[in-house]
Amino acid sequence: MNQDIASLRKSYERAELNESASEADPLRQFARWFDEARKSGVPEANAMTLATVGSNLRPSTRVVLIKDFDERGIVWYTNRQSRKGRELAGNPWAALQFHWVELERVVRIEGRVREVDDAESDAYFASRPLDHRIGAWASPQSQPIPGRAWLVAEAAKYAARFMLDPPRPPHWGGYRLEPDCWEFWQGRKSRLHDRLRYRLESGQWIRERLSP
């Protein structure tokens, strides 16, 4: 055992999470925590880990950026021919996780994923910086490529082709996870952490405390 790693530990003492002070609706609780993370200056508070499972039953994770959320779910955008896109096409169930280290907080979200409609994907794509829009055409995400020089050349090719107005690639668009389970984790002293889970049952959110 690597003792230097095994001895790493931290006491969590910044805040608490209890039933009386939390929202009855998990979306409102998430909005509150997300707003606090943004205002506190947490680096990339919008970064979340997306977990999917392939047809071979092997899970995979990657970090994506939340781009919208409302009562319909959590939205992000990506290349639909990427590994995550292919896995979601075969198994639309996924999980998300936010880890705001500085606030000693974690939010976990599970549910079914559906593609965002074309109009919504078009509107978001048009709002992206030009080089990001060119990159969406240039990168065959998750596929082997000869090297970085090849990728830069592809970006130059598409920049020359589309100039200042690249359209949204047909293989690129949004996904929306429709939550049926949320968990809010607040680190506490002595590893007696606060965990509140919200699960959807007959159209109603049931809030319950989980043992740490």
Side-chain angles (χ1 to χ4, degrees):
M1 177 184 295
N2 188 320
Q3 292 297 332
D4 290 338
I5 296 176
S7 64
L8 291 175
R9 55 181 55 87
K10 174 185 177 181
S11 180
Y12 300 97
E13 302 180 21
R14 286 184 58 96
E16 63 181 38
L17 176 65
N18 59 56
E19 292 82 345
S20 61
S22 63
E23 301 284 350
D25 185 318
L27 182 64
R28 292 176 61 87
Q29 181 64 36
F30 175 74
R32 183 204 294 184
W33 272 20
F34 186 64
D35 188 54
E36 291 176 5
R38 294 174 62 192
K39 290 180 178 177
S40 70
V42 170
E44 292 198 281
N46 57 331
M48 57 187 184
T49 299
L50 165 65
T52 57
V53 177
S55 59
N56 58 1
L57 303 184
R58 292 180 64 126
S60 61
T61 65
R62 74 287 291 161
V63 175
V64 297
L65 302 178
I66 183 174
K67 291 302 178 181
D68 195 14
F69 68 91
D70 56 23
E71 65 282 353
R72 295 173 298 168
I74 310 294
V75 174
W76 69 93
Y77 292 85
T78 191
N79 185 320
R80 290 174 175 161
Q81 295 175 349
S82 64
R83 179 177 179 180
K84 55 186 171 297
R86 297 194 306 270
E87 291 184 347
L88 287 170
N91 176 9
W93 297 93
L96 300 169
Q97 177 173 288
F98 292 84
H99 186 192
W100 297 312
V101 177
E102 292 78 2
L103 299 180
E104 301 174 355
R105 288 175 173 172
V106 173
V107 180
R108 299 172 58 212
I109 313 166
E110 300 174 18
R112 184 184 179 89
V113 177
R114 302 182 194 276
E115 292 186 358
V116 167
D117 65 41
D118 288 345
E120 196 170 346
S121 290
D122 287 341
Y124 172 70
F125 188 80
S127 75
R128 305 181 84 209
L130 176 60
D131 58 339
H132 293 197
R133 285 178 280 156
I134 293 297
W137 280 94
S139 173
Q141 195 174 105
S142 302
Q143 301 299 318
I145 60 175
R148 183 165 183 83
W150 179 90
L151 187 62
V152 172
E154 286 294 291
K157 179 181 74 175
Y158 283 107
R161 174 180 173 184
F162 294 122
M163 304 297 286
L164 299 178
D165 192 27
R168 178 175 64 89
H171 56 266
W172 192 98
Y175 290 96
R176 176 178 286 107
L177 184 142
E178 303 169 346
D180 60 15
C181 184
W182 299 72
E183 182 184 325
F184 296 85
W185 182 99
Q186 177 70 61
R188 297 296 301 276
K189 188 176 180 180
S190 302
R191 296 296 186 266
L192 300 178
H193 309 304
D194 290 329
R195 296 176 63 190
L196 293 185
R197 179 174 66 186
Y198 297 73
R199 55 184 175 84
L200 196 59
E201 186 174 297
S202 301
Q204 300 295 320
W205 288 108
I206 307 299
R207 180 179 52 189
E208 53 198 359
R209 177 173 287 269
L210 301 181
S211 172

